[in-house]
């Protein structure tokens, strides 16, 4: 019973946080560009509109199952990320998972959806999937290396243990292991599909993106899972680098400040091509990561 | 008569299983001069015999289809005999005999394919003979060190001999697992071999090289640490081996992405996957060897599944290139499911067991503090998603691109039965990774003198760095999937199927049957624009080896230059060399 209520609460919180954060992002973006922008609730309205469409076009069974897999993957991911520290609530099934599992779970859904894109028979959709997988190949290496530095620092892959080790502000990994945070920051933005790494599925790129064939309720489901997944990733970084949160308001505050940081970076850079993205990730963040490894592991004061 | 032969053949293919279940006492067979041939089943060989026992009948089943191919049956039986001999051998004589029988019988089987050309056959036999001769040389060095042929750890570690032994044995086994740049025979052989036999080559014969590498680690105390000392938290000799493995994986992965033929893609992916095993053996800790064994197990199951399925597709369509296939999902649904399960295992995605293997290897790299290796391995393991997607998209999704692909039917049952069994095994092992650890991996680790990993329950994979629960994971994902799908149908509105496959958002145009809509072979071509990948794909191993030859010739030419026509020059050189030697002796105090 506890597990069911807890799971529903986590799904609900991640959804509400998701549409509010995205609503804020659209406002923020508009104000930077000197527009008024839509309301804070606009993403919720958009999502409901899609989910309540009367007609949905499919291209066969696999096309239908793809969005189901990606949504199930998003829910599983949310349930394996602990939302709160030292609490019985909002834990989901995170006791049975670990950081490496979460990183892989983040990819399960998009790969399932890639099958749906393929079965639609639209070559542009598949092109979008290839772009997405290429970007993933670029971002995952520095992202994982940064997280590996944290896992090495605490000698565990358990998110709970890493969170528990950060008692006060001075013990936040953001301050004890700043290199790791800098290394993961830009790949993290890319994994959120945010500018400047958003060539996969960016508004003007829809025709060469994975979502080109989806419409109606299926598109609504894709939007829902995207908002939940965004929150799951934000909470994960809060857990790993900002000491986690004791209660929901603090969680929202920390996640929001992180979101504000990434959004501010996103807003001021022009979009990169896929191959530029990959090349950038393999030069700058990965290069930094390698320096971090040399500094913390290889040199005598490390180890 | 032909039915009798088929039943007999199937019985022979069960012989590894029979050996595994009924083996009792060890056998000793005296040879000349007090040397004995020893045969015994220890936990290490039992693990690899189990792989053989699983794979042999599943490969034999599709071979039963049609008129009996008697020479192939006989050679297959001989091959199984050779591999069992190799695995049971307690001394290097039996090991070598088994190795040779395996090499020759597989070579003759390879020749039975109509697609094998001279180049493919020659590279197969030359590389494998080189491997056998290196093994023989290693065995002689081993004998000179221990005075015995029995497989045992060597006590004496000083001097150059142990290093020579490690290099000779290492090269022999690395050729067998297809490590760069010794892999040239692998893609050719896997591509040209009879379609079903490719499954055996990739899934089982490459594991004999892995078995050899693990044997090599047992020859040296503390898993290679005794050889060159330690680096960070692992053996320094293993660090070199691990980088060899990782570079192999990275290069092979990008080569796999650029392939346009299903079997060649799988061949390169085999090289990459076995590269992970090499890396893990290099790390040498209990977690790493556990991961290597798990990866060996998963790779065996996955490659059997994928090669058998691909053989089925080739049988039904006669096409093997990605360009010529497409949209088989409706016509070959079981094959589609098989490839789907296969690529999830290959990519190491949870909840299938490929993830458990990856997890163990990643954690062992963190434990050894070899983070740069970890990043490099992650590069290859993420890039693998692209070829996995290509492998399922091009044959099964998109648009049918040839008349054969438009009319194909599901593969015959001798192909489907092994597929279903293998899918079941993979899913079961994914839900119960702890079972695999407890009953398959831990006995081997104990026999190797390493700490067993242990499992609190069948569903749990537990390491000192944390673990995960396969049962919970599968339940959560399954429940979420059921709820989302159920909830979706509860919403109002109806679903409508697109009128035709050309009913697409196609940049404002209406595509027709003539519009090229299949993205099969082109996928991944744009990766060349990324500098690193472009560089890797531009350079071939053949080119590397040719360059090496050219450099050697140039060096030889330089050396030959000293032997000019004028004798006074080399007399001068000899005097100078002598003077240099004298100076060195004086400087080092006569110690030279």
């Amino acid at each position: 019973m506890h597990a069911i209520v807890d799971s529903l609460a986590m799904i609900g919180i991640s959804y509400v946080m998701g549409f509010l954060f995205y609503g804020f992002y659209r406002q923020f973006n508009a104000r930077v560009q000197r527009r008024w922008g839509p309301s804070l609730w606009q993403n919720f309205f958009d999502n409901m509109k899609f989910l309540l469409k009367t007609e949905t076009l499919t291209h066969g069974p696999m096309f239908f199952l793809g969005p189901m897999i990606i949504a199930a993957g998003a829910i599983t991911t949310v349930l394996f990320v602990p939302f709160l520290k030292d609490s019985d609530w909002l834990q989901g099934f995170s006791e049975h998972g670990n950081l490496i599992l979460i990183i892989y779970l983040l990819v399960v859904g998009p790969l399932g959806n890639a099958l749906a894109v393929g079965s639609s028979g639209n070559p542009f959709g598949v092109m979008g999937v290839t772009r997405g997988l290429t970007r993933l190949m670029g971002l995952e290496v520095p992202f994982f290396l940064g997280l590996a530095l944290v896992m090495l620092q605490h000698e565990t892959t358990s998110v709970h243990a890493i969170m528990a080790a950060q008692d006060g502000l001075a013990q936040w990994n953001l301050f004890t292991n700043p290199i790791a945070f800098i290394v993961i920051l830009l790949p993290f933005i890319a994994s959120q599909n945010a500018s400047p790494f958003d060539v996969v599925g960016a508004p003007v790129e829809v025709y060469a993106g994975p979502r080109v064939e989806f419409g109606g309720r299926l598109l609504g489901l894709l939007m829902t899972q995207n908002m939940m997944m965004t929150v799951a990733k934000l909470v994960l970084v809060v857990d790993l680098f900002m000491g986690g949160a004791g209660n929901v308001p603090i969680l929202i505050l920390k996640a929001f400040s992180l979101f504000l940081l990434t959004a501010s970076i996103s807003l001021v850079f022009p979009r990169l091509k896929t191959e530029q993205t990959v090349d950038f990730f393999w030069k700058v963040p990965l290069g930094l990561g390698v320096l971090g490894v040399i500094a913390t592991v290889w040199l005598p004061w490390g180890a | 008569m032909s039915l009798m032969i088929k039943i007999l053949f199937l019985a022979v293919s069960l012989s590894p299983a029979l050996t595994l279940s009924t083996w009792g006492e060890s056998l000793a067979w005296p040879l000349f001069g007090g040397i004995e041939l020893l045969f015994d089943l220890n936990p290490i060989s039992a693990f690899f015999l189990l792989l053989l026992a699983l794979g042999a009948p599943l490969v034999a089943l599709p071979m039963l289809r049609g008129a009996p191919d008697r020479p192939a049956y006989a050679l297959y039986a001989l091959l199984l005999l050779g591999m069992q001999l190799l695995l049971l051998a307690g001394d290097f004589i039996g090991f070598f005999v088994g190795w040779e029988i395996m090499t020759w019988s597989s070579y003759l089987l390879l020749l039975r394919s109509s697609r094998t050309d001279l180049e493919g056959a020659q590279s197969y036999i030359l590389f494998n003979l080189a491997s056998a001769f290196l093994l023989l040389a290693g065995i002689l060095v081993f004998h000179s060190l221990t005075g015995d042929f029995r497989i045992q750890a060597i006590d004496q570690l000083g001097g150059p001999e142990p290093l020579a032994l490690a290099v000779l044995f290492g090269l022999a086994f690395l050729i067998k697992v297809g490590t760069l740049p010794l892999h040239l025979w692998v893609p050719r052989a896997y591509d040209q071999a009879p379609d079903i036999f490719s499954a055996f080559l990739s899934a089982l014969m490459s594991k004999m090289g892995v078995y050899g590498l693990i044997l090599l680690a047992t020859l040296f105390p503390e898993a290679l640490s005794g050889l060159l000392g330690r680096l960070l938290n692992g053996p320094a000799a293993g660090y070199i081996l691990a980088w060899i493995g990782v570079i192999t994986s990275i290069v092979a992965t990008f080569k796999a992405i650029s392939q346009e033929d299903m079997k060649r893609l799988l061949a390169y992916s085999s090289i990459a996957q076995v590269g992970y095993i090499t890396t893990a053996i290099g790390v040498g800790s209990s977690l790493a060897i556990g991961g290597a064994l798990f990866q060996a197990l998963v790779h065996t199951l996955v490659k059997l599944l994928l090669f058998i399925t691909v053989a089925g597709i080739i049988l039904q369509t006669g096409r093997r290139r990605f360009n010529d296939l497409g949209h088989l999902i409706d016509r070959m649904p079981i094959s589609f499911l098989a490839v789907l399960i296969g690529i999830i295992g290959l990519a190491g995605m949870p909840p299938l067991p490929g993830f458990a293997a990856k997890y163990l290897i990643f954690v062992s790299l963190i434990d050894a503090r070899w983070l740069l290796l970890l990043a490099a391995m992650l590069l290859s393991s993420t890039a693998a998603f692209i070829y996995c997607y290509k492998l399922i998209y091009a044959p099964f999704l998109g648009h049918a691109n040839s008349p054969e692909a438009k009319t194909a039917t599901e593969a015959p049952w001798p192909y489907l039965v092994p597929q279903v069994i293998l899918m079941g095994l993979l899913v079961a092992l994914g839900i119960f990774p702890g079972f695999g650890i407890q009953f398959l991996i831990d006995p081997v680790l104990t026999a190797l003198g390493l700490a067993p990993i242990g499992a609190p329950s069948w569903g749990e994979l537990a390491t000192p760095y944390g673990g995960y629960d396969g049962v919970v994971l599968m339940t959560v994902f399954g429940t979420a999937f059921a709820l989302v799908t159920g909830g979706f149908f509860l919403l109002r509105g109806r679903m409508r199927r697109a009128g035709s496959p050309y009913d697409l958002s196609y940049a404002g145009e209406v595509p027709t049957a003539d519009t090229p809509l299949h993205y099969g072979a082109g996928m991944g071509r744009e990766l060349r624009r990324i500098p690193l990948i472009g560089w890797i794909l531009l350079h071939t191993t053949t080119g590397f080896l040719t360059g090496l030859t050219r450099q050697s010739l140039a060096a030889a030419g330089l050396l030959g230059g000293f032997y000019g026509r004028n004798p006074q020059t080399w007399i001068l050189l000899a005097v100078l060399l002598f003077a240099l030697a004298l100076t060195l002796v004086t400087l080092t105090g006569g110690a030279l």
Side-chain angles (χ1 to χ4, degrees), chain A residues 110-120 122-136 200-201 208-212 214 274, chain B residues 385-386 389-390 393 519 523 526:
Chain A
L111 284 182
N113 198 45
L115 296 177
V117 177
S119 79
S120 76
N122 192 323
F124 294 129
V126 180
M127 205 168 95
V129 169
T130 317
R131 282 179 173 183
L133 291 177
T134 310
R135 181 183 64 181
L136 184 73
V200 187
R211 294 190 182 170
V212 57
F214 292 97
T274 320
Chain B
F385 294 159
I386 302 179
Y389 185 60
K390 186 171 185 172
Y393 168 76
Y519 194 55
M523 188 183 292
E526 65 278 9

Side-chain angles (χ1 to χ4, degrees), chain B residues 262 313-314 316-321 324-325 402-405:
Chain B
M262 289 191 286
I313 299 174
I314 295 175
Q316 296 303 89
T317 62
R319 303 290 186 130
R320 56 181 66 230
R321 292 168 63 81
D324 302 335
L325 294 160
S402 67
E404 290 88 350

Side-chain angles (χ1 to χ4, degrees), chain A residues 235-291:
Chain A
V235 173
L236 181 65
V237 175
V238 167
D239 285 351
L240 292 179
F241 287 95
M242 298 162 78
N247 52 44
V248 177
I250 301 238
L251 177 74
I252 295 178
L253 189 72
K254 284 185 176 175
F256 182 72
S257 51
L258 184 66
F259 186 73
L260 199 61
L261 174 70
T262 58
S264 315
I265 296 174
S266 291
L267 283 181
V268 289
F269 289 101
R271 185 174 304 142
L272 294 176
K273 290 186 204 164
T274 320
E275 60 266 21
Q276 289 172 332
T277 308
V278 175
D279 200 34
F280 171 77
F281 280 135
W282 286 352
K283 280 179 182 155
V284 181
L286 185 61
L288 254 170
V290 170
L291 287 182

Side-chain angles (χ1 to χ4, degrees), chain B residues 50-51 54-55 58 199 202-204 207 294-309 338 341-342 345-346 353 418-419 421-430 440:
Chain B
L50 175 73
L51 298 185
L54 265 174
L58 295 179
S202 162
L204 297 168
K207 299 302 171 302
F294 215 108
Q295 173 74 10
L297 174 65
V298 174
H299 181 250
T300 301
L301 297 177
V302 163
K303 277 291 146 64
L304 280 173
L305 178 61
L306 287 174
F307 267 113
I308 291 176
T309 313
I341 299 276
L346 198 60
Q419 288 174 28
I421 295 174
L422 288 164
M423 282 191 266
L425 283 175
L426 276 169
V427 172
L429 197 60
L440 304 176

Side-chain angles (χ1 to χ4, degrees), chain B residues 20 28 59 141 166 253 260 269 287 332 414 430 432 442 475 589:
Chain B
L20 184 63
V59 174
V141 174
T253 302
E260 302 192 349
S269 121
L287 283 173
M332 306 179 83
F432 302 112
D442 273 354
T475 315

Side-chain angles (χ1 to χ4, degrees), chain A residues 54-56 58 114 122 157 213, chain B residues 389 399 465 494 496 498 505:
Chain A
T54 48
E55 193 172 280
T56 303
T58 74
N122 192 323
T157 61
E213 279 300 316
Chain B
Y389 185 60
H399 292 261
Y465 281 74
R494 62 194 181 92
R496 193 167 63 79
S505 314

